[in-house]
Amino acid sequence: MFYNNGLPALWLIPALPALGALIIFIFASRMPARAAGIIACSAISLSFLWVLNVGTTLVLGNHHHFVEHHWNWIAAGPFQGSASFYFDLVTFAFTFVVAGVGLLIHLYSYSYMKGDAGERRYFGYFNLFAAAMLVLVTAENAFFMFLGWEGVGACSFFLIGHWYQKSENTVAATKAFLVTRLGDIFLLIGLFLTATLVGVSFSQQSAWTQVATSSFIPGFGGLTGPQLILITGICFLLGAAGKSAQVPLQVWLPDAMAGPTPVSALIHAATMVTAGVYLIARFHILFALSPNLMLAVAIVGVLTAFYGATSAFVQTDIKRILAYSTISQIGYMFLGLGVGAWSLAVFHFFTHAFYKALLFMAAGTVIHSLHNEQNIYNMGGLRTKLKGTYLAFLAGAASLAGIPFITAGFYSKDAILWNTLSTKWGSPVIYGIAMLTALMTAIYSFRLIFVVFHGTPRKDIHVHLPDRLLTWPLYILAFFAIVAGFLNLPIVFGVTPIWEHSFARVFGEWQAEPLIHSHAVEWMALLGSGVLALGGAGIAWLLYSPAKAPMPEPAGDIATVENNTPAPYKAVWANFLFHGWKMDGFYNKTFVRGFRITSGVIAWIDRVFVDGIFEAIQAIVRGFHALVIFFQNGRVSRYAMVMLFGAVAIITILLIGSQR
Amino acid sequence: MGHYQPLLPDLILAMGATFILLLGPLRDSQNLRDFLRWISLGLVAATAATLVWVNHGMATPYPLVGEGWLTTAPLHTAFAVVFLATIAWTILASTVPDEDAGEWYSMLLFLGTGMIILARAANLAAVFLGLEVLSISLYILIAFRYSKRSSLRGGIMYLLLAGFASGFLLFGMALIYAVFGTLQIAEIRTLALATDMGPMAKVGFGLLLVGVGFKLAAVPFHMWTPEVYESSPGTVTGLIASSSKGAMLAAFIPFLFLLETHWSIIWLFAALSMVGGNLLGLREIRVKRILAYSSIAHIGYVLTGYLAGDTLSANAAFLPSITGVNAVFFYVVAYAASILGAFAALGYIQGERDLTLRDLRGVGRRNPVLAFCLLIFVWSLAGLPPAVGFFGKIYLFSAAINAGYFWLPLIGLLGSAIGIYYYLRIIVHLFMMPADASDPKVHASTLQEWVMLGSAVAVIALGLFPETIFSFLRAF
């Protein structure tokens, strides 16, 4: 049961948190609120231990992957989906983060959510989310993966709307759900195409190479193989963009910060939003077969990275800064995928999970200590009061900014940048934009540090010291945010990049090889991005050091700026960036209004014509009812008379019929 | 004696009924009532066993004084066994009147005797004999709560109208005999198919159809149903709707040759019943009347299947292995399983006055088991999956479509759509309406609740495994 042929069972990984959620939901009313947290933490820690067990077996045994078949789930013609699990290095990376970082965030939540009215519900959904996310990354085929995909979407909805008493939170939850659902529609179309063309099992994906060479495929209206690949890939890209908050479906993530901060750390930074990266990495063969598709992924990635960095630049809410930075960083992952650096995209996901979860949780500690204050201009001078949190935050921000040589973020981001410049799918233009983005990333990272932790307190808020569960998970994550980079040191250091080397087994020939072999050029690129990071930190010091006035200039008192303020800044461009390039307004004016008008028209048609038809039918039926019920008056004489008429009618019909 | 051996089942049941009738007045005690109940059940079981045993290996109609009297065809034996089962079910499920227990059980057994004779009738005289035994037992059973005016009124109404209908039937038979010179249905069939039917024969069969239509309560001979159903005890209503009509249908199956000449009349019966039954029930608030009107519609569905006959069409499109007659058999079983339970459940709820939808409110809370069973029965009557009624309807309509009838199933579907309205009203009142000031009174013993639950399970189980009914039919 727990071991098959000496190999550890995979189903336990998602089953343990699922069991935890089940226990919490069934016995919620009969357990103390704290017990729910203990159950949830135990379930996820057991799951994490099991992930370590499976992962070490995989790595030490030098296996390519494990497969575990349970039962046939969907079987309808070409749609064959089984409840089966799959575990390779990519799965290991993702499960390690989901269960490992997830465990730290569970522990953190145990303290953070203490005394919350919905504590049991929170932990129930937290565990359910972990279970769904683990199904997503351990599924053996895309249909089973889709089960987890939708499961995490639902849990994200529940957890964003955790404080549902405030209507804006439910609005944010609904927005997140609907926008990702829009992407899911495309994902489903892509899945159906995959199912009909090659089958949904991940081990069947190499069959795309045959599709790429066939000029005619029956049943697709004359579309050629490469065209079908392009369509399928675009559908997957849109599905991934919805889930991972990429342009053009990125608008939901900043609003999703309405949920509790640990939710943002787990779901909207470390795990769920990277599901799109996982999806494309799983279908890398499909993408690699079409250069146009790769270019599309790279453009989406670099645009999103740029978009997120510019928007993060002017935000005043600490969580929204981090949300935009998440959008931007996932953009880098997509860029990595788009240039064929599959393993490096996964590596950036890996390091990002640590430092972004760390930043969110440290921000949560700050928010918690300041009694739910989120505006950074009301903070300041926290360096001395929250020393441990400051150091952890500094480590995270340095990693985010990519401070050279000592942080994980530097190694993972720089590797992607180098591949952008050097591989066949990359281009210097994209490289340039990505470098510019890196500079801005460093600036907004250190803006956070200087405004929140340096100088003097701008507002007299009593600082309430965090307990150990709110700080220790930060230190652990800070450790990883620094050292995780050493898993993949650049080749120019004269060492083997362990990560890339191991993942070559998974991505094999599809992994893009650098076309530029000159070590000098690579050193220059490396040093260039390092200089950019340090320069960004310097610029941040010039702009936001305690001695300077906050930039850009606010329209009024910047400390009172709220997220939904129409125009907090004097400068038009700053307001434009503050509202995320006014994408919400644009979508409201075009899609939402268009949809409302269309549905209004349809509702009118429904009310007038469709309802009218049925009301007419109803009136007719009632009229006939009145006609027939008239005879039913309970008198034997009338009944006998009707019988007689009936008999006469029958005989008449028969006699007339016989004369003919 | 060997000459009469094939009549053994009918004799056992009739003599047992007489015996119980004589035993009844002895002493009125709970013990005696229980004894009578079990001995009646035993008699029904013995009859069914004898029926199967006697029929085994017998190919020709039962001879009686030179004429074929009863048929041994497997279908008809199966029908007879089903009807005996409904009698046994009723014996278990009905609330025994405090007095007159002997009469109650005896009449039920006589009713069963009438049914098994009618269901297996091979000549016109047997049809009439069975029909009258059945009807006379019913007059008494309908008026069994004779201290109530409405009960007596229902019995008398049925007596008068059924007498009227029997007149038509007998006159029709006389005309048929005058034309063909025989009472044997098989011989009449041969002669009728061989020659062109003259007007006299046509009128004779037309009058026969009036009698049959009355017994089946097909529009326009349906008028008696609401009052009679309303005034009878619940379980008796169930029997009138299920096996009493079923026996007439079984007796009508040898007359399938009438489809050649009289199909338009049967078509009209079916169409008018499906439309009329569903329209009539639309705004009714008395629950038993709702089901009475619905039973009219159900006869329409059955006649739709009857029109498909007993031959398989070569170019059948839907479920080609099921003939119209098999579908009719299926439906009689399915309908009996649902309607018996429904009327019995309503019988338990019934108070002093007529039971209205309003009286059902709160039953779902007061007695959830009973309400749940009633839900399943009504669900099946409405023809919703996975209850057995759904498959019954599918078989009937597909048989009709295979036989080339297109409009009739369409009318049936539209009629069912209207009918869903009043079936759902029952469910809504059972579960979704707040109870009035006083809780409804429900009198059901533990045995009765178990019987109901068993039937409800059977309705679902037969729906999940509809093939069971066909294998039962094949076993004869």
Side-chain angles (χ1 to χ4, degrees), chain B residues 69-95:
Chain B
W69 190 249
L70 297 173
T71 170
T72 57
L75 177 71
H76 294 271
T77 316
F79 263 124
V81 171
V82 169
F83 300 147
L84 286 173
T86 63
I87 297 287
W89 192 92
T90 309
I91 290 171
L92 278 175
S94 51
T95 312

Side-chain angles (χ1 to χ4, degrees), chain A residues 621-622 625 632 634 639 643, chain B residues 153 223 227 279-280 282:
Chain A
V621 167
R622 278 177 186 241
H625 166 78
Q632 212 78 41
Y639 290 5
M643 272 178 75
Chain B
R153 187 166 164 275
M223 306 293 284
E227 276 83 13
L279 281 178
L280 281 166
L282 207 58

Side-chain angles (χ1 to χ4, degrees), chain B residues 140-453:
Chain B
I140 299 168
L141 285 169
I142 291 168
F144 208 84
R145 293 173 299 177
Y146 49 81
S147 57
K148 286 167 85 178
R149 197 159 167 264
S150 65
S151 190
L152 283 174
R153 187 166 164 275
I156 288 169
M157 174 182 275
Y158 192 59
L159 174 68
L160 286 172
L161 293 175
F164 198 36
S166 290
F168 281 109
L169 186 76
L170 263 187
F171 190 51
M173 286 178 176
L175 288 178
I176 294 165
Y177 183 70
V179 174
F180 296 103
T182 173
L183 289 175
Q184 282 295 100
I185 299 170
E187 288 173 21
I188 293 172
R189 175 178 183 275
T190 325
L191 292 170
L193 290 177
T195 57
D196 208 17
M197 212 184 268
M200 190 153 132
K202 280 200 171 172
V203 172
F205 284 121
L207 293 175
L208 182 88
L209 282 177
V210 174
V212 172
F214 173 82
K215 195 72 206 162
L216 296 180
V219 176
F221 307 110
H222 64 285
M223 306 293 284
W224 55 277
T225 38
E227 276 83 13
V228 171
Y229 278 36
E230 178 77 66
S231 54
S232 316
T235 44
V236 173
T237 319
L239 283 178
I240 300 175
S242 62
S243 44
S244 135
K245 286 184 183 177
M248 191 70 242
L249 273 171
F252 194 43
I253 284 173
F255 290 94
L256 270 173
F257 63 90
L258 284 181
L259 291 180
E260 293 285 322
T261 48
H262 288 66
W263 70 268
S264 57
I265 304 295
I266 300 170
W267 194 97
L268 274 177
F269 275 174
L272 290 175
S273 301
M274 289 189 291
V275 174
N278 284 317
L279 281 178
L280 281 166
L282 207 58
R283 303 182 74 174
E284 183 60 66
I285 56 161
R286 287 161 291 189
V287 189
K288 283 172 90 175
R289 285 185 190 233
I290 293 178
L291 292 185
Y293 291 129
S294 100
S295 80
I296 298 172
H298 282 278
I299 274 303
Y301 307 142
V302 173
L303 287 177
T304 306
Y306 181 87
L307 277 169
D310 60 353
T311 46
L312 289 173
S313 170
N315 51 357
F318 304 103
L319 299 167
S321 64
I322 292 162
T323 63
V325 168
N326 281 2
V328 167
F329 178 79
F330 187 99
Y331 204 76
V332 167
V333 175
Y335 184 63
S338 319
I339 196 77
L340 280 172
F343 274 122
L346 291 179
Y348 302 147
I349 301 170
Q350 193 161 27
E352 284 303 303
R353 58 199 192 299
D354 292 350
L355 189 70
T356 60
L357 284 172
R358 188 171 273 272
D359 296 324
L360 293 182
R361 295 182 181 180
V363 174
R365 221 177 0 267
R366 175 74 180 251
N367 194 332
V369 175
L370 192 73
F372 178 70
C373 294
L374 189 52
L375 163 73
I376 289 180
F377 298 138
V378 171
W379 195 263
S380 173
L381 290 174
L384 301 173
V388 66
F390 168 73
F391 292 96
K393 236 179 238 177
I394 285 206
Y395 292 143
L396 288 175
F397 289 165
S398 57
I401 291 171
N402 289 342
Y405 292 95
F406 170 70
W407 287 107
L408 220 40
L410 191 69
I411 294 170
L413 284 180
L414 292 178
S416 314
I418 300 175
I420 298 266
Y421 171 72
Y422 54 71
Y423 291 121
L424 287 185
R425 279 216 300 177
I426 297 178
I427 296 173
V428 165
H429 280 270
L430 265 181
F431 291 101
M432 291 158 69
M433 292 279 201
D436 288 343
S438 62
D439 263 350
K441 291 193 174 54
V442 181
H443 313 277
S445 66
T446 319
L447 172 70
Q448 285 166 338
E449 279 190 353
W450 277 106
V451 171
M452 297 308 282
L453 207 57

Side-chain angles (χ1 to χ4, degrees), chain A residues 86-97:
Chain A
Y86 185 87
F87 198 98
D88 63 1
L89 270 179
V90 179
T91 316
F92 186 31
F94 274 86
T95 47
F96 183 84
V97 166

